[in-house]
Amino acid sequence: QQQVKQSPQSLIVQKGGISIINCAYENTAFDYFPWYQQFPGKGPALLIAIRPDVSEKKEGRFTISFNKSAKQFSLHIMDSQPGDSATYFCAARRVTGKLIFGQGTTLQVKP
Amino acid sequence: EPEVTQTPSHQVTQMGQEVILHCVPISNHLYFYWYRQILGQKVEFLVSFYNNEISEKSEIFDDQFSVERPDGSNFTLKIRSTKLEDSAMYFCATSGDGNQPQHFGDGTRLSIL
């Protein structure tokens, strides 16, 4: 079975705080794990991604932590800003290219 | 930054009618995908397309669905006889090759009445 489970469903963080979103997958036939950010009325936009041979990747305020043995990965948003308020989706890519998405997390950053 | 362009942004169609959704991929991209997102739910894979043929399709992508590249640039999704449950946002995504990230368009909101 190919599943990606994401939590929490929604998250409220104060400005300047750390937002943490977690994902777990159930199949090892994935070669790439992207995170997408989606604003209302827009398509998912690639935020950051990691390959399974790397345990952490950082780009600016965004960090992915990847635990291959636990089949888990997480997104950390440091110094969260109101402009970060959006829906975040984790995904796992099969070698065929098919992306399997998590359920999404709606993040609200309060000023 | 190059974009994936989808038209129309909103399509309203009577149940049983045919609908065609259009996508203009990023130039030089060779891999094409359709996904859909029912309101409030996750994004679901429909089909992938490479070298003028379907690479993979989901169980959602039944005989009512088809894809093609009619003129070498546009990438279309056709639903022959729409059903109420086809109402969703449909996203086109493209990538340069199978290992590169997929870039999404802003979607077409399909409303079936």
Side-chain angles (χ1 to χ4, degrees):
Chain A
Q1 184 150 15
Q2 298 171 348
Q3 290 262 9
V4 177
K5 295 180 180 178
Q6 183 172 346
S7 63
Q9 187 174 355
S10 63
L11 182 61
I12 300 175
V13 173
Q14 289 295 128
K15 178 182 175 182
I18 302 173
S19 304
I20 302 174
I21 305 170
N22 300 298
C23 284
Y25 61 97
E26 298 182 351
N27 186 294
T28 56
F30 297 127
D31 67 350
Y32 177 77
F33 299 86
W35 284 89
Y36 284 86
Q37 179 188 56
Q38 185 179 31
F39 292 105
K42 293 290 189 178
L46 181 66
L47 188 62
I48 187 172
I50 198 167
R51 297 191 185 275
D53 54 349
V54 176
S55 61
E56 186 175 281
K57 183 174 181 180
K58 183 175 181 180
E59 290 183 0
R61 296 184 294 110
F62 302 93
T63 300
I64 300 178
S65 297
F66 188 85
N67 185 329
K68 189 174 181 178
S69 60
K71 297 182 185 177
Q72 295 175 346
F73 58 111
S74 60
L75 175 69
H76 291 62
I77 306 174
M78 311 299 288
D79 187 26
S80 299
Q81 298 296 311
D84 296 331
S85 297
T87 300
Y88 293 80
F89 291 95
C90 64
R93 188 182 71 186
R94 280 171 45 97
V95 293
T96 58
K98 170 184 177 179
L99 287 174
I100 298 173
F101 284 83
Q103 291 292 121
T105 296
T106 301
L107 171 66
Q108 181 184 358
V109 181
K110 290 194 168 183
Chain B
E1 185 173 327
E3 291 183 344
V4 176
T5 305
Q6 289 187 244
T7 56
S9 57
H10 191 191
Q11 175 77 47
V12 182
T13 302
Q14 292 289 330
M15 185 173 60
Q17 295 296 305
E18 175 182 286
V19 65
I20 300 176
L21 309 183
H22 298 266
C23 171
V24 177
I26 293 173
S27 179
N28 297 324
H29 277 195
L30 301 176
Y31 289 74
F32 313 109
Y33 309 85
W34 284 101
Y35 294 83
R36 80 172 186 188
Q37 184 178 31
I38 295 172
L39 185 64
Q41 298 186 24
K42 67 178 180 180
V43 179
E44 298 176 287
F45 171 82
L46 291 178
V47 66
S48 57
F49 188 86
Y50 169 71
N51 200 26
N52 284 319
E53 60 183 33
I54 291 174
S55 307
E56 185 175 2
K57 59 183 180 180
S58 73
E59 60 275 8
I60 302 168
F61 195 90
D62 61 21
D63 291 344
Q64 294 300 312
F65 290 84
S66 63
V67 291
E68 64 175 357
R69 286 195 82 197
D71 56 10
S73 60
N74 281 294
F75 177 52
T76 62
L77 173 69
K78 181 193 290 186
I79 309 175
R80 288 188 187 80
S81 179
T82 50
K83 302 187 281 285
L84 292 175
E85 53 265 37
D86 293 328
S87 295
M89 282 291 288
Y90 286 81
F91 292 106
C92 172
T94 73
S95 66
D97 65 39
N99 286 319
Q100 292 184 9
Q102 293 176 29
H103 296 269
F104 284 72
D106 284 338
T108 293
R109 180 183 301 280
L110 178 61
S111 299
I112 307 301
L113 304 179

